[in-house]
Every structure is written in C-alpha cells, then in structure tokens.
C-alpha cells in the first residue's frame, strides 16, 4: 500500500496546510507515490482557505496554497491514512483521544522525523507576529523532507 499522510494541527489554516504543501513538493521531487492531506482537530475553520499569512509565506517559497480548504479530523482518517502527523503535543494528545478502536494509522509529531528534534513541536504561529510564519515554514519544510526521505527508504 502506498503511504498516505494526514498532517494535523489545531485550525487547519496555518501549520498543517503548510506541512502538506511542503511535503507534496518534496514527494514530487523524490518521485514518491504518496497521498497527502491536512486537517484540524478543531472545527472553527472548516471550509476556510488558509490564513493569509500562511498563504503569503507559501507563495514566497514558490507554493500556492490558496485553493486548500479547512476540514476537521474524522474517525475514518485513522484507517484511511497510514500516517497521522501532528504539529504539536496538544494535537497529538487529541488524536490519541479521538482514535477509534480500529485505528491503523501510525501517530507521530512532525519533528519526530527529524534527527535531533524528536519530541519538539511546530509552534502555533496564529497569535504571533507575521515573521513567526517564516519559522513555521522552515520547521514544516525540515519535517516534511525528513518524513518523505524516510518513506522513500522504507519503500526502497
Ligand atoms: P493552526 O493555527 O493550528 O496552525 O492552523 C491556528 C489557527 C486557528 C486557531 C488557532 C491556531 N484559532 O484559535 O482559531
């Protein structure tokens, strides 16, 4: 089965859409056959486009995420995806709480996949300054690249 990755944050308008975009880019570069999506544990931004600051940082780095729309994690995601990748510890704890008994997805933090950064969170940039989104982009890119490389090694 091809790997499939759902990136998860709180609102699905800042970190996880950026992680999804960075991961798609890297998967394309590696010619990795993989499905990617993102979702939030909260439901406030269902059907909303990504935060304008997230769209701006993505565009600055060559990726247009304006067509993405927010959605909430649902029980079926725990079987549909092979990997559920949380941005921070609260998201991960919420995923563990929401997991149905027949869940098969592997749960992790995004930065668990980066050597030397296991257990670290991608900080929530929503209430911070605009330059926080540059840090977010750097973190999700490092994480997405490490995860894509790991999935490629597993398939090789
Ligand atoms: P995200 O950021 O989880 O990275 O999408 C947030 C977006 C919205 C809210 C919090 C965090 N909010 O409270 O609405």
């Amino acid at each position: 089965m091809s790997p499939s990755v759902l990136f998860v944050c709180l609102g699905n308008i800042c970190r996880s859409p950026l992680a999804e975009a960075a991961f798609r880019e890297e998967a394309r570069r590696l010619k990795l056959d993989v499905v990617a999506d993102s979702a939030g544990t909260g439901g406030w931004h269902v059907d909303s486009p990504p935060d304008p600051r997230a769209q701006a940082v993505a565009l600055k780095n060559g990726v247009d995420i304006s067509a993405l729309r927010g959605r909430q994690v649902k029980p079926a995601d725990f079987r549909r995806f092979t990997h559920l990748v949380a941005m921070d510890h609260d998201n991960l704890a919420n995923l563990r709480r929401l997991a149905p008994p027949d869940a098969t997805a592997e749960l992790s933090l995004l930065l668990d996949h980066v050597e030397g950064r296991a257990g670290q969170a991608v900080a929530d940039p929503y209430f911070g300054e605009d330059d926080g989104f540059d840090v977010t982009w750097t973190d999700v890119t490092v994480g997405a690249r490490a995860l894509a490389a790991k999935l490629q090694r597993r398939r090789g």
Side-chain angles (χ1 to χ4, degrees):
M1 187 167 63
S2 293
S4 48
V5 184
L6 182 69
F7 295 94
V8 178
C9 62
L10 180 59
N12 192 211
I13 55 168
C14 299
R15 292 165 292 176
S16 62
L18 290 172
E20 175 189 347
F23 182 76
R24 276 185 205 279
E25 288 293 301
E26 186 62 8
R28 184 163 42 226
R29 202 178 69 79
L30 297 176
K31 299 187 171 45
L32 184 65
D33 180 24
V34 67
V35 169
D37 194 7
S38 63
T41 55
W44 311 284
H45 301 286
V46 170
D47 293 330
S48 297
D51 185 285
R53 297 165 296 174
Q55 293 193 41
V57 81
L59 214 49
K60 196 163 85 175
N61 289 281
V63 194
D64 182 355
I65 62 167
S66 62
L68 297 180
R69 292 294 178 267
R71 77 164 179 92
Q72 196 167 14
V73 175
K74 52 181 188 261
D77 291 326
F78 290 83
R79 285 195 64 81
R80 192 155 79 83
F81 291 91
T82 57
H83 296 74
L84 265 53
V85 179
M87 298 301 120
D88 68 30
H89 302 84
D90 282 351
N91 312 146
L92 185 59
N94 280 326
L95 287 178
R96 293 202 203 289
R97 194 173 47 76
L98 293 167
D102 63 349
T104 49
E106 201 175 289
L107 306 187
S108 61
L109 288 172
L110 179 62
L111 293 176
D112 282 347
H113 302 282
V114 180
E115 209 178 309
R117 297 196 66 183
Q120 292 183 18
V122 177
D124 185 347
Y126 186 68
F127 293 108
E129 305 296 325
D130 284 8
D131 61 4
F133 283 74
D134 289 311
V135 177
T136 307
W137 178 260
T138 302
D139 280 352
V140 300
T141 301
V142 167
R145 286 185 181 157
L147 177 59
K150 190 184 276 189
L151 294 176
Q152 192 178 47
R153 282 197 299 276
R154 258 188 221 177
R155 296 186 64 72

